PDB file of all heavy atoms in Angstrom:
ATOM      1  N   SER A1472       3.858 -17.831  -1.037  1.00 66.00           N
ATOM      2  CA  SER A1472       4.164 -16.544  -1.656  1.00 66.00           C
ATOM      3  C   SER A1472       4.557 -15.515  -0.615  1.00 66.00           C
ATOM      4  O   SER A1472       4.273 -15.650   0.566  1.00 66.00           O
ATOM      5  CB  SER A1472       2.950 -16.024  -2.428  1.00 66.00           C
ATOM      6  OG  SER A1472       2.664 -16.858  -3.508  1.00 66.00           O
ATOM      7  N   SER A1473       5.181 -14.470  -1.103  1.00 69.00           N
ATOM      8  CA  SER A1473       5.544 -13.322  -0.282  1.00 69.00           C
ATOM      9  C   SER A1473       4.558 -12.202  -0.584  1.00 69.00           C
ATOM     10  O   SER A1473       4.207 -11.973  -1.736  1.00 69.00           O
ATOM     11  CB  SER A1473       6.970 -12.926  -0.633  1.00 69.00           C
ATOM     12  OG  SER A1473       7.230 -11.611  -0.333  1.00 69.00           O
ATOM     13  N   VAL A1474       4.095 -11.517   0.445  1.00 76.00           N
ATOM     14  CA  VAL A1474       3.164 -10.403   0.264  1.00 76.00           C
ATOM     15  C   VAL A1474       3.986  -9.131   0.082  1.00 76.00           C
ATOM     16  O   VAL A1474       4.803  -8.784   0.931  1.00 76.00           O
ATOM     17  CB  VAL A1474       2.221 -10.279   1.479  1.00 76.00           C
ATOM     18  CG1 VAL A1474       1.374  -9.024   1.368  1.00 76.00           C
ATOM     19  CG2 VAL A1474       1.351 -11.511   1.594  1.00 76.00           C
ATOM     20  N   ASP A1475       3.779  -8.460  -1.046  1.00 79.00           N
ATOM     21  CA  ASP A1475       4.499  -7.215  -1.319  1.00 79.00           C
ATOM     22  C   ASP A1475       3.587  -6.240  -2.058  1.00 79.00           C
ATOM     23  O   ASP A1475       3.754  -5.987  -3.241  1.00 79.00           O
ATOM     24  CB  ASP A1475       5.779  -7.473  -2.109  1.00 79.00           C
ATOM     25  CG  ASP A1475       5.522  -8.064  -3.500  1.00 79.00           C
ATOM     26  OD1 ASP A1475       4.403  -8.567  -3.749  1.00 79.00           O
ATOM     27  OD2 ASP A1475       6.425  -7.995  -4.341  1.00 79.00           O
ATOM     28  N   PRO A1476       2.595  -5.661  -1.364  1.00 85.00           N
ATOM     29  CA  PRO A1476       1.673  -4.733  -2.016  1.00 85.00           C
ATOM     30  C   PRO A1476       2.444  -3.637  -2.748  1.00 85.00           C
ATOM     31  O   PRO A1476       3.330  -3.008  -2.183  1.00 85.00           O
ATOM     32  CB  PRO A1476       0.851  -4.151  -0.876  1.00 85.00           C
ATOM     33  CG  PRO A1476       1.047  -5.092   0.267  1.00 85.00           C
ATOM     34  CD  PRO A1476       2.375  -5.734   0.067  1.00 85.00           C
ATOM     35  N   THR A1477       2.091  -3.434  -4.016  1.00 86.00           N
ATOM     36  CA  THR A1477       2.843  -2.525  -4.870  1.00 86.00           C
ATOM     37  C   THR A1477       1.910  -1.629  -5.663  1.00 86.00           C
ATOM     38  O   THR A1477       0.894  -2.091  -6.183  1.00 86.00           O
ATOM     39  CB  THR A1477       3.723  -3.334  -5.852  1.00 86.00           C
ATOM     40  OG1 THR A1477       4.628  -4.151  -5.106  1.00 86.00           O
ATOM     41  CG2 THR A1477       4.511  -2.426  -6.785  1.00 86.00           C
ATOM     42  N   VAL A1478       2.263  -0.357  -5.742  1.00 90.00           N
ATOM     43  CA  VAL A1478       1.657   0.575  -6.690  1.00 90.00           C
ATOM     44  C   VAL A1478       2.740   0.815  -7.731  1.00 90.00           C
ATOM     45  O   VAL A1478       3.878   1.134  -7.381  1.00 90.00           O
ATOM     46  CB  VAL A1478       1.257   1.909  -6.022  1.00 90.00           C
ATOM     47  CG1 VAL A1478       0.801   2.903  -7.061  1.00 90.00           C
ATOM     48  CG2 VAL A1478       0.174   1.699  -4.997  1.00 90.00           C
ATOM     49  N   GLU A1479       2.401   0.629  -9.006  1.00 87.00           N
ATOM     50  CA  GLU A1479       3.406   0.756 -10.050  1.00 87.00           C
ATOM     51  C   GLU A1479       2.867   1.579 -11.207  1.00 87.00           C
ATOM     52  O   GLU A1479       1.669   1.821 -11.309  1.00 87.00           O
ATOM     53  CB  GLU A1479       3.833  -0.625 -10.543  1.00 87.00           C
ATOM     54  CG  GLU A1479       2.678  -1.458 -11.032  1.00 87.00           C
ATOM     55  CD  GLU A1479       2.994  -2.939 -11.160  1.00 87.00           C
ATOM     56  OE1 GLU A1479       4.006  -3.398 -10.625  1.00 87.00           O
ATOM     57  OE2 GLU A1479       2.202  -3.622 -11.811  1.00 87.00           O
ATOM     58  N   ASP A1480       3.765   1.979 -12.060  1.00 81.00           N
ATOM     59  CA  ASP A1480       3.397   2.699 -13.280  1.00 81.00           C
ATOM     60  C   ASP A1480       2.551   3.936 -12.983  1.00 81.00           C
ATOM     61  O   ASP A1480       1.570   4.205 -13.674  1.00 81.00           O
ATOM     62  CB  ASP A1480       2.649   1.781 -14.254  1.00 81.00           C
ATOM     63  CG  ASP A1480       3.445   0.545 -14.607  1.00 81.00           C
ATOM     64  OD1 ASP A1480       4.687   0.659 -14.703  1.00 81.00           O
ATOM     65  OD2 ASP A1480       2.853  -0.519 -14.776  1.00 81.00           O
ATOM     66  N   VAL A1481       2.919   4.701 -11.950  1.00 83.00           N
ATOM     67  CA  VAL A1481       2.204   5.935 -11.633  1.00 83.00           C
ATOM     68  C   VAL A1481       2.588   6.985 -12.671  1.00 83.00           C
ATOM     69  O   VAL A1481       3.766   7.289 -12.842  1.00 83.00           O
ATOM     70  CB  VAL A1481       2.546   6.433 -10.219  1.00 83.00           C
ATOM     71  CG1 VAL A1481       1.863   7.759  -9.936  1.00 83.00           C
ATOM     72  CG2 VAL A1481       2.176   5.392  -9.181  1.00 83.00           C
ATOM     73  N   THR A1482       1.602   7.487 -13.384  1.00 83.00           N
ATOM     74  CA  THR A1482       1.848   8.494 -14.420  1.00 83.00           C
ATOM     75  C   THR A1482       0.802   9.591 -14.306  1.00 83.00           C
ATOM     76  O   THR A1482      -0.381   9.272 -14.292  1.00 83.00           O
ATOM     77  CB  THR A1482       1.757   7.859 -15.828  1.00 83.00           C
ATOM     78  OG1 THR A1482       2.613   6.719 -15.868  1.00 83.00           O
ATOM     79  CG2 THR A1482       2.164   8.830 -16.901  1.00 83.00           C
ATOM     80  N   PRO A1483       1.166  10.840 -14.227  1.00 77.00           N
ATOM     81  CA  PRO A1483       2.520  11.396 -14.092  1.00 77.00           C
ATOM     82  C   PRO A1483       2.946  11.454 -12.633  1.00 77.00           C
ATOM     83  O   PRO A1483       2.140  11.746 -11.757  1.00 77.00           O
ATOM     84  CB  PRO A1483       2.368  12.798 -14.685  1.00 77.00           C
ATOM     85  CG  PRO A1483       0.956  13.179 -14.355  1.00 77.00           C
ATOM     86  CD  PRO A1483       0.154  11.891 -14.392  1.00 77.00           C
ATOM     87  N   THR A1484       4.190  11.206 -12.348  1.00 75.00           N
ATOM     88  CA  THR A1484       4.661  11.156 -10.963  1.00 75.00           C
ATOM     89  C   THR A1484       4.684  12.515 -10.290  1.00 75.00           C
ATOM     90  O   THR A1484       4.618  12.589  -9.071  1.00 75.00           O
ATOM     91  CB  THR A1484       6.080  10.553 -10.890  1.00 75.00           C
ATOM     92  OG1 THR A1484       6.968  11.350 -11.676  1.00 75.00           O
ATOM     93  CG2 THR A1484       6.086   9.123 -11.370  1.00 75.00           C
ATOM     94  N   ASP A1485       4.766  13.584 -11.049  1.00 83.00           N
ATOM     95  CA  ASP A1485       4.870  14.913 -10.439  1.00 83.00           C
ATOM     96  C   ASP A1485       3.519  15.591 -10.249  1.00 83.00           C
ATOM     97  O   ASP A1485       3.452  16.721  -9.799  1.00 83.00           O
ATOM     98  CB  ASP A1485       5.791  15.810 -11.261  1.00 83.00           C
ATOM     99  CG  ASP A1485       5.281  16.025 -12.684  1.00 83.00           C
ATOM    100  OD1 ASP A1485       4.493  15.187 -13.181  1.00 83.00           O
ATOM    101  OD2 ASP A1485       5.677  17.030 -13.305  1.00 83.00           O
ATOM    102  N   LYS A1486       2.423  14.902 -10.563  1.00 84.00           N
ATOM    103  CA  LYS A1486       1.104  15.535 -10.513  1.00 84.00           C
ATOM    104  C   LYS A1486       0.166  14.925  -9.477  1.00 84.00           C
ATOM    105  O   LYS A1486      -0.801  15.555  -9.070  1.00 84.00           O
ATOM    106  CB  LYS A1486       0.417  15.452 -11.876  1.00 84.00           C
ATOM    107  CG  LYS A1486       1.211  16.034 -13.017  1.00 84.00           C
ATOM    108  CD  LYS A1486       1.175  17.528 -13.011  1.00 84.00           C
ATOM    109  CE  LYS A1486       1.861  18.062 -14.265  1.00 84.00           C
ATOM    110  NZ  LYS A1486       1.907  19.486 -14.310  1.00 84.00           N
ATOM    111  N   VAL A1487       0.406  13.672  -9.064  1.00 87.00           N
ATOM    112  CA  VAL A1487      -0.515  13.009  -8.140  1.00 87.00           C
ATOM    113  C   VAL A1487       0.235  12.368  -6.974  1.00 87.00           C
ATOM    114  O   VAL A1487       1.398  12.007  -7.086  1.00 87.00           O
ATOM    115  CB  VAL A1487      -1.373  11.918  -8.850  1.00 87.00           C
ATOM    116  CG1 VAL A1487      -2.281  12.537  -9.878  1.00 87.00           C
ATOM    117  CG2 VAL A1487      -0.509  10.827  -9.451  1.00 87.00           C
ATOM    118  N   GLU A1488      -0.477  12.266  -5.856  1.00 90.00           N
ATOM    119  CA  GLU A1488      -0.002  11.506  -4.701  1.00 90.00           C
ATOM    120  C   GLU A1488      -0.822  10.228  -4.636  1.00 90.00           C
ATOM    121  O   GLU A1488      -2.049  10.260  -4.748  1.00 90.00           O
ATOM    122  CB  GLU A1488      -0.208  12.299  -3.411  1.00 90.00           C
ATOM    123  CG  GLU A1488       0.183  11.491  -2.179  1.00 90.00           C
ATOM    124  CD  GLU A1488      -0.241  12.155  -0.890  1.00 90.00           C
ATOM    125  OE1 GLU A1488      -1.468  12.294  -0.677  1.00 90.00           O
ATOM    126  OE2 GLU A1488       0.644  12.534  -0.114  1.00 90.00           O
ATOM    127  N   VAL A1489      -0.135   9.099  -4.464  1.00 92.00           N
ATOM    128  CA  VAL A1489      -0.802   7.803  -4.373  1.00 92.00           C
ATOM    129  C   VAL A1489      -0.505   7.214  -2.999  1.00 92.00           C
ATOM    130  O   VAL A1489       0.641   7.219  -2.545  1.00 92.00           O
ATOM    131  CB  VAL A1489      -0.308   6.838  -5.470  1.00 92.00           C
ATOM    132  CG1 VAL A1489      -0.983   5.481  -5.336  1.00 92.00           C
ATOM    133  CG2 VAL A1489      -0.548   7.421  -6.844  1.00 92.00           C
ATOM    134  N   CYS A1490      -1.562   6.715  -2.328  1.00 95.00           N
ATOM    135  CA  CYS A1490      -1.407   6.096  -1.011  1.00 95.00           C
ATOM    136  C   CYS A1490      -2.028   4.707  -1.031  1.00 95.00           C
ATOM    137  O   CYS A1490      -3.022   4.479  -1.718  1.00 95.00           O
ATOM    138  CB  CYS A1490      -2.101   6.920   0.064  1.00 95.00           C
ATOM    139  SG  CYS A1490      -1.508   8.611   0.193  1.00 95.00           S
ATOM    140  N   MET A1491      -1.448   3.798  -0.262  1.00 95.00           N
ATOM    141  CA  MET A1491      -2.039   2.473  -0.019  1.00 95.00           C
ATOM    142  C   MET A1491      -2.248   2.322   1.473  1.00 95.00           C
ATOM    143  O   MET A1491      -1.333   2.573   2.263  1.00 95.00           O
ATOM    144  CB  MET A1491      -1.101   1.351  -0.498  1.00 95.00           C
ATOM    145  CG  MET A1491      -1.177   1.049  -1.954  1.00 95.00           C
ATOM    146  SD  MET A1491      -0.375  -0.530  -2.378  1.00 95.00           S
ATOM    147  CE  MET A1491       1.304  -0.236  -1.891  1.00 95.00           C
ATOM    148  N   PHE A1492      -3.466   1.905   1.847  1.00 95.00           N
ATOM    149  CA  PHE A1492      -3.809   1.659   3.241  1.00 95.00           C
ATOM    150  C   PHE A1492      -4.258   0.212   3.374  1.00 95.00           C
ATOM    151  O   PHE A1492      -4.836  -0.355   2.438  1.00 95.00           O
ATOM    152  CB  PHE A1492      -4.925   2.600   3.694  1.00 95.00           C
ATOM    153  CG  PHE A1492      -4.559   4.048   3.568  1.00 95.00           C
ATOM    154  CD1 PHE A1492      -4.971   4.789   2.475  1.00 95.00           C
ATOM    155  CD2 PHE A1492      -3.783   4.661   4.539  1.00 95.00           C
ATOM    156  CE1 PHE A1492      -4.625   6.127   2.346  1.00 95.00           C
ATOM    157  CE2 PHE A1492      -3.432   6.000   4.426  1.00 95.00           C
ATOM    158  CZ  PHE A1492      -3.854   6.727   3.329  1.00 95.00           C
ATOM    159  N   PHE A1493      -4.034  -0.396   4.557  1.00 92.00           N
ATOM    160  CA  PHE A1493      -4.260  -1.819   4.733  1.00 92.00           C
ATOM    161  C   PHE A1493      -5.188  -2.106   5.904  1.00 92.00           C
ATOM    162  O   PHE A1493      -5.085  -1.487   6.952  1.00 92.00           O
ATOM    163  CB  PHE A1493      -2.919  -2.528   4.971  1.00 92.00           C
ATOM    164  CG  PHE A1493      -1.899  -2.155   3.947  1.00 92.00           C
ATOM    165  CD1 PHE A1493      -0.910  -1.239   4.241  1.00 92.00           C
ATOM    166  CD2 PHE A1493      -1.963  -2.684   2.668  1.00 92.00           C
ATOM    167  CE1 PHE A1493       0.020  -0.865   3.285  1.00 92.00           C
ATOM    168  CE2 PHE A1493      -1.049  -2.322   1.707  1.00 92.00           C
ATOM    169  CZ  PHE A1493      -0.053  -1.413   2.015  1.00 92.00           C
ATOM    170  N   ASP A1494      -6.075  -3.064   5.686  1.00 90.00           N
ATOM    171  CA  ASP A1494      -6.989  -3.525   6.727  1.00 90.00           C
ATOM    172  C   ASP A1494      -6.972  -5.048   6.692  1.00 90.00           C
ATOM    173  O   ASP A1494      -7.558  -5.662   5.795  1.00 90.00           O
ATOM    174  CB  ASP A1494      -8.401  -2.990   6.448  1.00 90.00           C
ATOM    175  CG  ASP A1494      -9.358  -3.242   7.585  1.00 90.00           C
ATOM    176  OD1 ASP A1494      -8.908  -3.607   8.690  1.00 90.00           O
ATOM    177  OD2 ASP A1494     -10.576  -3.077   7.370  1.00 90.00           O
ATOM    178  N   CYS A1495      -6.269  -5.659   7.643  1.00 89.00           N
ATOM    179  CA  CYS A1495      -6.167  -7.114   7.671  1.00 89.00           C
ATOM    180  C   CYS A1495      -7.559  -7.729   7.784  1.00 89.00           C
ATOM    181  O   CYS A1495      -8.426  -7.201   8.481  1.00 89.00           O
ATOM    182  CB  CYS A1495      -5.293  -7.566   8.832  1.00 89.00           C
ATOM    183  SG  CYS A1495      -3.550  -7.114   8.632  1.00 89.00           S
ATOM    184  N   ILE A1496      -7.780  -8.824   7.072  1.00 86.00           N
ATOM    185  CA  ILE A1496      -9.097  -9.469   7.031  1.00 86.00           C
ATOM    186  C   ILE A1496      -9.504  -9.963   8.417  1.00 86.00           C
ATOM    187  O   ILE A1496     -10.642  -9.820   8.828  1.00 86.00           O
ATOM    188  CB  ILE A1496      -9.117 -10.627   6.012  1.00 86.00           C
ATOM    189  CG1 ILE A1496      -8.803 -10.116   4.601  1.00 86.00           C
ATOM    190  CG2 ILE A1496     -10.445 -11.369   6.056  1.00 86.00           C
ATOM    191  CD1 ILE A1496      -9.783  -9.118   4.043  1.00 86.00           C
ATOM    192  N   GLU A1497      -8.563 -10.534   9.158  1.00 79.00           N
ATOM    193  CA  GLU A1497      -8.863 -10.986  10.516  1.00 79.00           C
ATOM    194  C   GLU A1497      -8.971  -9.744  11.398  1.00 79.00           C
ATOM    195  O   GLU A1497      -8.002  -9.013  11.569  1.00 79.00           O
ATOM    196  CB  GLU A1497      -7.766 -11.913  11.026  1.00 79.00           C
ATOM    197  CG  GLU A1497      -7.637 -13.181  10.193  1.00 79.00           C
ATOM    198  CD  GLU A1497      -6.440 -14.021  10.607  1.00 79.00           C
ATOM    199  OE1 GLU A1497      -5.855 -13.761  11.677  1.00 79.00           O
ATOM    200  OE2 GLU A1497      -6.106 -14.928   9.846  1.00 79.00           O
ATOM    201  N   GLN A1498     -10.135  -9.490  11.942  1.00 68.00           N
ATOM    202  CA  GLN A1498     -10.400  -8.240  12.664  1.00 68.00           C
ATOM    203  C   GLN A1498      -9.445  -7.985  13.824  1.00 68.00           C
ATOM    204  O   GLN A1498      -9.145  -6.850  14.145  1.00 68.00           O
ATOM    205  CB  GLN A1498     -11.850  -8.215  13.171  1.00 68.00           C
ATOM    206  CG  GLN A1498     -12.865  -8.175  12.063  1.00 68.00           C
ATOM    207  CD  GLN A1498     -12.720  -6.932  11.188  1.00 68.00           C
ATOM    208  OE1 GLN A1498     -12.428  -5.850  11.660  1.00 68.00           O
ATOM    209  NE2 GLN A1498     -12.922  -7.090   9.893  1.00 68.00           N
ATOM    210  N   SER A1499      -8.972  -9.048  14.455  1.00 67.00           N
ATOM    211  CA  SER A1499      -8.078  -8.840  15.603  1.00 67.00           C
ATOM    212  C   SER A1499      -6.617  -8.780  15.178  1.00 67.00           C
ATOM    213  O   SER A1499      -5.735  -8.716  16.009  1.00 67.00           O
ATOM    214  CB  SER A1499      -8.269  -9.988  16.608  1.00 67.00           C
ATOM    215  OG  SER A1499      -7.914 -11.218  15.999  1.00 67.00           O
ATOM    216  N   ALA A1500      -6.373  -8.772  13.883  1.00 68.00           N
ATOM    217  CA  ALA A1500      -5.008  -8.822  13.392  1.00 68.00           C
ATOM    218  C   ALA A1500      -4.276  -7.501  13.623  1.00 68.00           C
ATOM    219  O   ALA A1500      -4.827  -6.435  13.416  1.00 68.00           O
ATOM    220  CB  ALA A1500      -5.001  -9.161  11.905  1.00 68.00           C
ATOM    221  N   ALA A1501      -3.042  -7.606  14.047  1.00 70.00           N
ATOM    222  CA  ALA A1501      -2.191  -6.428  14.186  1.00 70.00           C
ATOM    223  C   ALA A1501      -1.516  -6.175  12.844  1.00 70.00           C
ATOM    224  O   ALA A1501      -1.082  -7.098  12.178  1.00 70.00           O
ATOM    225  CB  ALA A1501      -1.146  -6.666  15.265  1.00 70.00           C
ATOM    226  N   ARG A1502      -1.460  -4.915  12.434  1.00 75.00           N
ATOM    227  CA  ARG A1502      -0.812  -4.572  11.172  1.00 75.00           C
ATOM    228  C   ARG A1502       0.603  -4.100  11.445  1.00 75.00           C
ATOM    229  O   ARG A1502       0.835  -3.280  12.320  1.00 75.00           O
ATOM    230  CB  ARG A1502      -1.572  -3.461  10.466  1.00 75.00           C
ATOM    231  CG  ARG A1502      -2.923  -3.879   9.978  1.00 75.00           C
ATOM    232  CD  ARG A1502      -3.645  -2.674   9.461  1.00 75.00           C
ATOM    233  NE  ARG A1502      -3.906  -1.783  10.596  1.00 75.00           N
ATOM    234  CZ  ARG A1502      -4.943  -0.971  10.681  1.00 75.00           C
ATOM    235  NH1 ARG A1502      -5.779  -0.885   9.693  1.00 75.00           N
ATOM    236  NH2 ARG A1502      -5.131  -0.216  11.727  1.00 75.00           N
ATOM    237  N   SER A1503       1.528  -4.617  10.661  1.00 86.00           N
ATOM    238  CA  SER A1503       2.879  -4.060  10.672  1.00 86.00           C
ATOM    239  C   SER A1503       3.399  -4.109   9.243  1.00 86.00           C
ATOM    240  O   SER A1503       3.079  -5.021   8.485  1.00 86.00           O
ATOM    241  CB  SER A1503       3.800  -4.818  11.628  1.00 86.00           C
ATOM    242  OG  SER A1503       4.032  -6.122  11.175  1.00 86.00           O
ATOM    243  N   PHE A1504       4.159  -3.109   8.871  1.00 90.00           N
ATOM    244  CA  PHE A1504       4.728  -3.021   7.530  1.00 90.00           C
ATOM    245  C   PHE A1504       5.788  -1.934   7.546  1.00 90.00           C
ATOM    246  O   PHE A1504       5.892  -1.164   8.500  1.00 90.00           O
ATOM    247  CB  PHE A1504       3.652  -2.706   6.483  1.00 90.00           C
ATOM    248  CG  PHE A1504       2.855  -1.480   6.786  1.00 90.00           C
ATOM    249  CD1 PHE A1504       3.281  -0.230   6.391  1.00 90.00           C
ATOM    250  CD2 PHE A1504       1.670  -1.579   7.507  1.00 90.00           C
ATOM    251  CE1 PHE A1504       2.543   0.909   6.697  1.00 90.00           C
ATOM    252  CE2 PHE A1504       0.925  -0.457   7.810  1.00 90.00           C
ATOM    253  CZ  PHE A1504       1.369   0.792   7.407  1.00 90.00           C
ATOM    254  N   THR A1505       6.563  -1.870   6.478  1.00 91.00           N
ATOM    255  CA  THR A1505       7.610  -0.878   6.350  1.00 91.00           C
ATOM    256  C   THR A1505       7.379  -0.065   5.086  1.00 91.00           C
ATOM    257  O   THR A1505       7.295  -0.631   3.988  1.00 91.00           O
ATOM    258  CB  THR A1505       8.997  -1.561   6.270  1.00 91.00           C
ATOM    259  OG1 THR A1505       9.172  -2.372   7.424  1.00 91.00           O
ATOM    260  CG2 THR A1505      10.109  -0.535   6.177  1.00 91.00           C
ATOM    261  N   CYS A1506       7.247   1.248   5.228  1.00 94.00           N
ATOM    262  CA  CYS A1506       7.136   2.127   4.060  1.00 94.00           C
ATOM    263  C   CYS A1506       8.523   2.279   3.451  1.00 94.00           C
ATOM    264  O   CYS A1506       9.486   2.551   4.172  1.00 94.00           O
ATOM    265  CB  CYS A1506       6.584   3.496   4.450  1.00 94.00           C
ATOM    266  SG  CYS A1506       4.863   3.455   4.998  1.00 94.00           S
ATOM    267  N   PRO A1507       8.650   2.123   2.137  1.00 93.00           N
ATOM    268  CA  PRO A1507       9.967   2.188   1.505  1.00 93.00           C
ATOM    269  C   PRO A1507      10.458   3.623   1.353  1.00 93.00           C
ATOM    270  O   PRO A1507       9.694   4.580   1.486  1.00 93.00           O
ATOM    271  CB  PRO A1507       9.716   1.552   0.133  1.00 93.00           C
ATOM    272  CG  PRO A1507       8.296   1.872  -0.161  1.00 93.00           C
ATOM    273  CD  PRO A1507       7.593   1.804   1.173  1.00 93.00           C
TER     274      PRO A1507
END
């Protein structure tokens, strides 16, 4: 599979800010990702 963390169906879009933060399970893991 491909990993694609997604927040969807945010309602209402003009009233709230939604954030996703990531903590890799392997403690020594380096995190990299691209914000869209």
